[in-house]
Amino acid sequence: MLDVFEEGKVYEVLLVTRSNVTPVGVVREGERLRFKLFPGKSFREVLETGKASIQLTNDPELLVRTALNLPVELEFVEVKGHRWIKGLPGLYGRVEWKVERWKDELGETEVLLCELIPEGEIEGTLPLRPFSRADCLLVEMAVLFTRYLVKPEEKLRARILEMHSLYRHLGGRSATADHMVSFLTGKTQKGH
C-alpha cells in the first residue's frame, strides 16, 4: 500500500486518531509518511497515543466536511488500539513526532512534525469514482477557507469567491462549497 504514494508528492488523505478525523497532506519519504499538525484534537491525540491511521478517499466532500468540522456519517473499526474508517483503504501505525515553532503569514504557533511508520494495511472498498477538476477546486477552496477562518483577509476571501465561480463553471454543485460562500458573503445560496 505504501507504494501508491510517489515520493516527494503531497497527497491529501484522512488522518484518523482516537476520536478525530481530519484531512492532512502527507509526503512519502522512504518507508514513512510525513505530515504536520497544527494545534487541535488530532495534535493532542497523536501526542497522547503516538498512533494514527492514514486513509485514502476519492470523495472531496468528505475531505472538505472533515476539514470544516461539518457532520459526516462514518463507521469506524478499532483493532489493537488503532482506529480507522470502515471501507477506506490505508495504513495504520505508530507516529514519531517533534514539536517545532511555526511562523507564516497567519501568525506563529507550535506544530507537530510527524512521521507515520506503517505497522499494517487497512483493506478498503473504495468505489470507482474519478476526481474532477471541480473536485480539485473544492479541496483547494477548503484549504484557503480554513486559513481565512484563522486570519480573515480580503485577498483570501476574494480568491475563494473567484475559485467558487470557476468551480460552478466546471459543474461543481456541493452544498459545502455554498456553505463557505454563504459564510464569506453573509448570503444564503439559492438552489441548494
Side-chain angles (χ1 to χ4, degrees):
M1 161 65 69
L2 193 59
D3 30 335
V4 302
F5 296 96
E6 193 175 315
E7 288 210 36
K9 281 188 180 176
V10 178
Y11 293 90
E12 196 69 21
V13 297
L14 292 169
L15 178 76
V16 182
T17 56
R18 183 177 57 220
S19 70
N20 200 42
V21 177
T22 192
V24 295
V26 299
V27 176
R28 178 181 174 192
E29 285 189 19
E31 299 302 307
R32 297 168 178 240
L33 294 173
R34 293 180 185 262
F35 59 95
K36 101 179 115 222
L37 292 174
F38 289 88
K41 199 172 205 177
S42 294
F43 180 106
R44 288 188 305 275
E45 291 183 355
V46 165
L47 283 175
E48 291 167 6
T49 68
K51 295 180 179 183
S53 299
I54 286 178
Q55 293 185 267
L56 311 178
T57 184
N58 57 6
D59 182 356
E61 192 77 20
L62 179 57
L63 290 168
V64 172
R65 292 185 73 77
T66 55
L68 302 179
N69 293 315
L70 295 173
V72 291
E73 294 207 16
L74 300 171
E75 190 176 336
F76 293 93
V77 174
E78 288 195 42
V79 176
K80 298 179 185 173
H82 291 279
R83 178 175 172 259
W84 57 78
I85 301 166
K86 184 177 182 178
L88 295 181
L91 299 161
Y92 65 89
R94 65 185 170 84
V95 179
E96 293 180 356
W97 51 265
K98 69 178 180 178
V99 177
E100 189 172 282
R101 293 299 296 166
W102 182 264
K103 186 175 182 174
D104 63 13
E105 66 274 5
L106 299 180
E108 190 173 339
T109 188
E110 288 186 332
V111 295
L112 208 57
L113 300 178
C114 302
E115 293 183 344
L116 179 101
I117 296 94
E119 295 177 337
E121 291 188 11
I122 303 165
E123 289 188 29
T125 54
L126 198 60
L128 184 59
R129 179 188 181 280
F131 218 66
S132 73
R133 288 177 60 199
D135 294 337
C136 295
L137 277 168
L138 179 62
V139 171
E140 289 305 314
M141 285 173 23
V143 169
L144 293 177
F145 185 74
T146 58
R147 295 179 70 78
Y148 179 86
L149 293 174
V150 173
K151 188 174 183 183
E153 290 183 339
E154 181 54 32
K155 67 179 180 177
L156 268 179
R157 181 183 169 282
R159 190 162 170 216
I160 296 165
L161 294 175
E162 182 181 327
M163 290 173 82
H164 184 259
S165 177
L166 180 57
Y167 169 78
R168 297 297 293 227
H169 174 75
L170 293 171
R173 296 181 298 274
S174 164
T176 307
D178 294 341
H179 167 80
M180 289 184 277
V181 169
S182 294
F183 182 91
L184 295 170
T185 63
K187 299 177 188 173
T188 303
Q189 297 288 307
K190 295 191 180 196
H192 293 278

